[in-house]
């Protein structure tokens, strides 16, 4: 009976397994407010022994997307590997244009997206060690940069445990609490979750389970997965995240201490190599100081670009950009430079990221390097307008993140559950208030 209960706590919808937990609006408002404001949940519901008889590993299939997205996957891999005391086998960064081209071919031939990396030529990749300072990261944990072929050759004969996950159907927490931890479950039941309405396509057949919420409920319950509860029990040599599923934007921690540790690990130990930092500085010397920045994303390029420029101009006017400086750094891949004439007409002195990329960059990854440098240099802009979803924008402008109780509330994937309640209350420090008040932004 105990084994049955343990297995049920690995991946499930809490409302369907433990039906005695009612929806959050049925919970006493003041009671939940008190729980939220004072909670530090003790670890329970799992057994974790960090000492290993032999070295264990964690690796991942990168997402089919930008380097920003791939570096987000790497950051998550650092957090999860450290929590599980496993050696991280970090995969190379792959050319966004090439892997997206291959993805279209895979889908036309009815093959899963993961086959992209079987056909990807090595010349379209860059070792993670060329971008991220792994020597510095090794002060925190064991990490190796591997090519895909090295990974397959050296580790294919070991035992593997595949992990699949989609943000569209749920999220990770640090651990699944025991059924007796009523306060933790009340907070879990109150979590904000907005599932995507479309089905996941291109997933491996091994990943079919759990990738779709099969319910007609207006507010379906998420699959909640515990990193320690589920993965610390794994005895296999390699934990492998398939289908780019480690690139989640959502890791939630019950433990405030663990939240603080995860945020510290990523902010203090993940940094760019000296080579990349020198490239940043070289570009910075070409831009007048101080400067503001705007991002024209690929989605902007696909839409009505002239409308986007006008909208960004209104945003900049509202934020009083020219009150600080008329120097404007534009992160863009746009080739038609005439679309930026309205900015010049308004008196802005423009610098384009695509024209500042240093020479000597391989043509196979020039698009990716240009975007990487452009996004990171945005960090030093006084003011910024544009999308905030790129990982490198959020990380670069982390100085703008909100803090509460010593923890970052946004800009990072790893957050505490008290900041991920419905609509993520901005007034969690209110002494006594109703849930309606807590959730009113």
């Amino acid at each position: 009976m105990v084994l049955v209960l343990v297995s049920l706590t690995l991946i499930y919808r809490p409302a369907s397994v433990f039906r005695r937990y009612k929806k959050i609006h049925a919970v006493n408002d003041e009671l939940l407010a008190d729980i939220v404001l004072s909670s530090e949940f003790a670890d329970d519901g799992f057994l974790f022994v960090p000492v290993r008889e032999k070295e264990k590993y964690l690796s991942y299939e990168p997402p089919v997307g930008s380097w920003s997205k791939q570096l987000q996957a790497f950051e998550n891999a650092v957090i999860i590997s450290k929590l599980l005391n496993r050696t991280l086998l970090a995969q190379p960064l792959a050319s966004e244009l090439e892997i997206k081209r291959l993805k279209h071919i895979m889908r036309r031939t009815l093959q899963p997206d993961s086959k992209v990396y079987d056909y990807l030529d090595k010349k379209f990749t860059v070792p993670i060690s060329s971008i991220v300072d792994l020597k510095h990261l090794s002060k925190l944990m064991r990490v190796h940069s591997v090519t895909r072929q090295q990974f397959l050759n050296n580790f294919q004969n070991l035992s593997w445990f595949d992990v699949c996950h989609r943000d569209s159907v749920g999220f990770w927490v640090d651990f699944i609490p025991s059924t007796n931890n009523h306060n933790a479950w009340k907070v879990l039941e109150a979590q904000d979750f907005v599932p995507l309405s479309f089905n996941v396509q291109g997933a491996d057949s091994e990943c079919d389970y759990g990738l779709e919420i099969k319910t007609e409920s207006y507010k379906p319950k998420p699959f909640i997965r515990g990193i320690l509860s589920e993965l610390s029990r794994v005895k296999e040599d390699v934990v492998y995240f398939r289908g780019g599923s480690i690139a989640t934007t959502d890791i939630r921690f019950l433990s405030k201490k663990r939240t603080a540790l995860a945020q510290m690990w990523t902010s203090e130990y993940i940094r760019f190599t000296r080579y990349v930092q020198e490239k940043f500085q070289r570009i910075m010397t070409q831009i007048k100081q101080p400067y503001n920045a705007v991002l024209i994303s690929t989605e902007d390029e696909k839409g009505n670009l002239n409308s986007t420029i006008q909208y960004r101009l209104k945003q900049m006017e509202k934020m009083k950009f020219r009150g600080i400086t008329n120097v404007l750094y534009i992160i863009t891949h746009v080739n038609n430079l005439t679309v930026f004439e309205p900015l010049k007409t308004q008196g802005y002195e423009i610098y384009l990221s695509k024209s500042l990329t240093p020479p000597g960059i391989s043509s196979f990854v020039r698009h990716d390097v240009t975007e990487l440098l452009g996004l990171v240099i945005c960090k030093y802009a006084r003011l910024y307008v544009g999308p905030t979803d790129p990982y490198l924008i959020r990380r670069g402008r982390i100085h703008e993140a909100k803090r509460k109780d010593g923890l970052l509330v946004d800009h990072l994937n790893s957050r505490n559950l008290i900041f991920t309640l419905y609509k993520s209350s901005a007034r969690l420090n209110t002494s006594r208030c109703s849930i309606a008040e807590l959730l009113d932004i």
Side-chain angles (χ1 to χ4, degrees), residues 85-348:
N85 192 32
R86 285 178 174 261
T87 299
L88 173 58
L89 304 173
Q91 299 289 335
L93 299 175
S95 163
E96 177 184 10
L97 298 182
E98 180 63 10
I99 56 180
K100 285 186 174 180
R101 184 187 72 83
L102 291 172
K103 183 181 77 170
H104 292 315
I105 295 175
M106 296 303 104
R107 293 194 172 184
R108 283 203 307 267
T109 56
L110 302 180
Q111 298 183 72
D113 289 356
S114 60
K115 286 294 183 181
V116 160
Y117 293 98
D118 291 339
Y119 293 97
L120 181 64
D121 193 307
K122 185 180 178 181
K123 65 187 179 185
F124 290 102
T125 66
V126 171
I128 195 75
S129 56
S130 297
I131 305 298
V132 178
D133 186 349
L134 296 190
K135 183 177 180 180
H136 183 70
L137 180 58
S138 65
K139 296 176 183 178
L140 173 70
M141 57 184 290
R142 301 183 303 274
V143 56
H144 302 299
S145 176
V146 294
T147 65
R148 180 168 175 79
Q149 201 56 51
Q150 287 173 333
F151 176 59
L152 295 177
N153 291 343
N154 298 339
F155 299 93
Q156 65 179 348
N157 293 328
L158 299 180
S159 56
W160 285 40
F161 181 86
D162 287 341
V163 181
C164 301
H165 170 76
R166 291 290 183 273
D167 284 348
S168 58
V169 297
F171 52 83
W172 288 96
V173 295
D174 48 348
F175 69 95
I176 303 296
S178 68
T179 56
N180 295 323
N181 196 338
H182 304 295
N183 287 346
W185 277 108
K186 286 184 175 68
V187 172
L188 278 174
E189 283 286 283
Q191 290 300 297
D192 184 29
F193 176 68
V194 181
L196 300 179
S197 59
F198 55 85
N199 295 334
V200 177
Q201 297 180 346
D204 290 334
S205 58
E206 297 91 333
C207 294
D208 283 348
Y209 173 73
L211 292 188
E212 181 182 355
I213 292 184
K214 298 180 174 65
T215 178
E216 296 180 356
S217 170
Y218 175 73
K219 191 70 177 179
K221 292 296 181 181
F223 286 107
I224 301 177
R225 306 183 67 169
I227 295 171
L228 295 173
S229 308
E230 177 180 346
L231 301 181
S232 67
R233 293 190 177 98
V234 173
K235 296 181 180 179
E236 282 79 2
D237 299 308
V238 180
V239 169
Y240 187 66
F241 282 77
R242 298 180 66 99
S245 60
I246 203 166
T248 175
T249 59
D250 205 0
I251 300 178
R252 310 183 189 191
F253 291 89
L254 279 161
S255 166
K256 290 181 180 178
K257 293 180 181 178
R258 199 171 281 123
T259 309
L261 282 173
Q263 293 184 352
M264 182 271 289
W265 295 338
T266 56
S267 62
E268 294 190 13
Y269 290 96
I270 299 179
R271 60 176 61 169
F272 291 108
T273 59
R274 180 175 296 180
Y275 172 81
V276 174
Q277 292 185 45
E278 288 174 353
K279 297 293 184 186
F280 295 155
Q281 294 304 319
R282 190 173 302 176
I283 293 176
M284 292 286 290
T285 60
Q286 302 177 56
I287 307 173
K288 286 185 180 179
Q289 306 292 323
Y291 65 91
N292 298 319
V294 59
L295 169 61
I296 305 300
S297 69
T298 53
E299 294 303 315
D300 292 332
E301 294 174 31
K302 294 175 184 177
N304 188 324
L305 198 50
N306 290 323
S307 296
T308 298
I309 297 296
Q310 292 300 324
Y311 176 65
R312 298 298 179 212
L313 266 172
K314 291 179 181 179
Q315 286 183 301
M316 291 187 284
E317 195 68 27
K318 185 176 181 179
M319 295 174 66
K320 297 181 172 55
F321 263 42
R322 284 176 295 175
I324 294 177
T325 175
N326 71 329
V327 179
L328 186 65
Y329 181 71
I330 305 176
I331 305 112
T332 181
H333 289 290
V334 174
N335 291 315
N336 181 13
L337 303 185
T338 60
V339 298
F340 299 119
E341 284 300 323
L343 298 172
K344 293 181 179 179
T345 302
Q346 292 295 322
Y348 285 104

Side-chain angles (χ1 to χ4, degrees), residues 29-80:
D29 287 349
E30 290 189 352
L31 174 61
L32 184 59
D34 286 341
I35 293 171
V36 168
L37 295 172
S38 62
S39 62
E40 175 55 88
F41 303 106
D43 292 352
D44 69 357
F46 70 94
L47 177 63
F48 179 55
V49 181
V51 179
R52 302 283 186 182
E53 294 181 0
K54 64 175 183 177
E55 190 171 19
K56 300 285 187 178
Y57 305 93
L58 183 144
S59 195
Y60 55 94
E61 181 183 294
V64 178
S66 66
W67 276 15
S68 185
K69 187 75 171 177
Q70 293 176 52
L71 286 168
Q72 176 178 285
F74 172 78
E75 177 181 290
N76 292 337
V78 167
I79 293 171
I80 297 174

